[in-house]
Amino acid sequence: MRNQSLSGNIASVLRRCKELEKAMRKVGIPAFLACLPTTLLALQYALMLREKNASISRISGRIKGWLATVQELSAHERGRSEFIDLDHKMRGDIEGACDSMRSLRDLCVDICAMFSAVGHESGMLQRGRDRFDATVKEACRLSQTLVEAVTDHDRRALAIRQQEHAIEQAGVASAAAHAARAAATLDA
């Protein structure tokens, strides 16, 4: 819903810029000056994309750090059983972040298409969109790798915990059997 209203607002501003451009051309202002409002809007949006791209690049860096941590925990026998995402909240958070980034990318594609639809082509905007698309794809790829690493880690950690529990239960059963034999020996 929010993306639709944002997209609608940008479409409205873009439409007003094009109307202003037409009005300026009618009164004799040269085309390169008349298209300035639309060009400035495209520039503003391209700069916003650059900021979003930097933010998602930072998120990718954090994901790489988390991935390294999960891999480090998984590499050590002791660490494997200390961290388990039983409720799958971490996976849900990661997938939710990925969905948000994809939504933002879709909004970006829609907005760039709006500029093209009104006849305004901006190389800077197109390059920004392409970079943003690549950054989102990489962040989502890293996110999926992290989810898989967490899943693998949890599977191994649970197996270790089950094995430890089985050994503990066997020890308890053995001690109980020993105590029963000792009691039977005393009774006899």
Side-chain angles (χ1 to χ4, degrees):
M1 181 69 179
R2 183 170 178 233
N3 282 354
Q4 290 175 342
S5 65
L6 182 59
S7 184
N9 288 343
I10 292 172
S12 176
V13 170
L14 185 56
R15 201 172 25 257
R16 285 195 301 266
C17 284
K18 286 309 279 185
E19 289 169 3
L20 178 60
E21 180 180 335
K22 287 177 187 174
M24 290 168 71
R25 287 178 126 180
K26 281 184 182 178
V27 296
I29 294 178
F32 75 93
L33 286 176
C35 72
L36 196 56
T38 306
T39 301
L40 290 174
L41 184 61
L43 176 64
Q44 179 185 6
Y45 186 67
L47 293 174
M48 283 176 24
L49 268 178
R50 185 177 288 173
E51 290 173 17
K52 296 292 182 197
N53 200 33
S55 294
I56 291 179
S57 291
R58 283 190 297 275
I59 291 168
S60 288
R62 288 187 193 121
I63 293 170
K64 285 178 186 174
W66 297 333
L67 181 58
T69 299
V70 170
Q71 289 169 337
E72 179 70 23
L73 284 171
S74 294
H76 301 292
E77 192 74 25
R78 186 94 169 118
R80 272 193 208 145
S81 61
E82 290 180 2
F83 159 73
I84 302 174
D85 184 29
L86 285 177
D87 60 2
H88 301 280
K89 286 194 182 216
M90 182 176 183
R91 286 175 217 141
D93 289 346
I94 294 166
E95 290 166 355
C98 231
D99 289 343
S100 294
M101 287 186 285
R102 284 187 194 108
S103 263
L104 193 56
R105 181 195 57 210
D106 293 345
L107 178 63
C108 167
V109 168
D110 290 346
I111 291 170
C112 288
M114 286 179 211
F115 278 94
S116 294
V118 298
H120 185 83
E121 297 300 325
S122 167
M124 184 179 189
L125 187 58
Q126 184 63 39
R127 286 186 303 276
R129 185 192 77 112
D130 293 345
R131 275 190 306 272
F132 187 71
D133 185 48
T135 303
V136 168
K137 283 180 182 173
E138 176 62 8
C140 289
R141 185 194 66 75
L142 285 169
S143 296
Q144 186 58 41
T145 302
L146 178 58
V147 166
E148 290 167 4
V150 168
T151 301
D152 290 345
H153 168 83
D154 288 355
R155 189 176 17 257
R156 285 191 306 270
L158 287 172
I160 289 168
R161 288 249 174 130
Q162 288 171 347
Q163 184 180 23
E164 289 171 349
H165 182 70
I167 290 169
E168 184 181 307
Q169 292 300 315
V172 168
S174 177
H178 181 67
R181 269 191 307 254
T185 306
L186 288 177
D187 286 343

